[in-house]
Amino acid sequence: MQIDWLTVAAQWINFLILMWLLRRYLYQPIIQAMDKRQQTLAASAQAAEQKMRQAEQQAELYRNKLAELEAHGAALMTAARQAADNEREKLVGQARTEFETLAQQWRRDLEREKAAFQHQLRNELGQLITATARKAVIDLTGRELEQALFDNFLSRLNALTAEDKQLLSESGRENTVLASSCELGEASRIRFTDALNRTLPSPINIRFETLPDSRLGLLLTTPAYTLEWRVERYFADLQTELDSVLNAQQHQPC
């Protein structure tokens, strides 16, 4: 069998032409399209990855911002609670201080009113006792109360020791005061001065005054000596008992 080389050559030429045509018009566009598609996919994947990274960065930024806001909010809440506690303590302290001030003022007013009441009561009680004693002395002895006090005081003066009389005489030469519960008349003053000068080793000058608060009694004073007789000595226990009663009533609940 003989080979027709011309036919073989023609077939190879046709095959090569077919291959070139396929490559030129079929394979090449397909390959280019595939390459282009691959590049597009790669670009899309890269863009998606870039967007993913950006999204993660943005999410991290948001998380940081949220954590910062939460921390700031917690700090604000803590500061607000602290400020509220401080304000409450301040108001409580102010209220306590105002209460203590009012309580102290109330106690001072109460003590002042108590002292004024006791002073008034003491004066009224002294006046009542004086009036009662004066009436009793007049009814029992027929003498005025001042005269009885005067006689009693002279008796006490006569009963002084020699040392006391000497001290009274020496210290009373320039400034001797006799204070009485009522103003003494001229006759009583002369009588008392004469009796005193007869009792003491040397004469003294006497200035007569009136006791304050209508206190019943006589008080002889010099710069170095004091001799007194007053009714207050006899009702001091009564005054103490009266103060105890007032204090007990003060502490009783309303």
Side-chain angles (χ1 to χ4, degrees), residues 191-232:
R191 180 169 175 245
F192 185 84
T193 302
D194 292 341
L196 185 62
N197 288 330
R198 287 195 305 269
T199 303
L200 299 179
S202 59
I204 59 176
N205 295 321
I206 303 175
R207 185 175 75 254
F208 293 90
E209 295 181 355
T210 303
L211 288 171
D213 301 331
S214 300
R215 292 179 294 178
L216 183 61
L218 293 172
L219 177 64
L220 180 66
T221 59
T222 70
Y225 195 87
T226 299
L227 179 64
E228 66 175 335
W229 186 93
R230 289 188 292 180
V231 174
E232 283 86 346

Side-chain angles (χ1 to χ4, degrees), residues 39-50:
Q39 292 176 358
T40 302
L41 292 175
S44 298
Q46 185 176 3
E49 185 178 358
Q50 182 67 23

Side-chain angles (χ1 to χ4, degrees), residues 129-147:
I129 292 177
T130 300
T132 303
R134 180 178 289 109
K135 186 176 184 303
V137 170
I138 293 175
D139 292 342
L140 294 175
T141 65
R143 296 186 301 169
E144 291 291 338
L145 178 60
E146 286 76 11
Q147 184 63 42

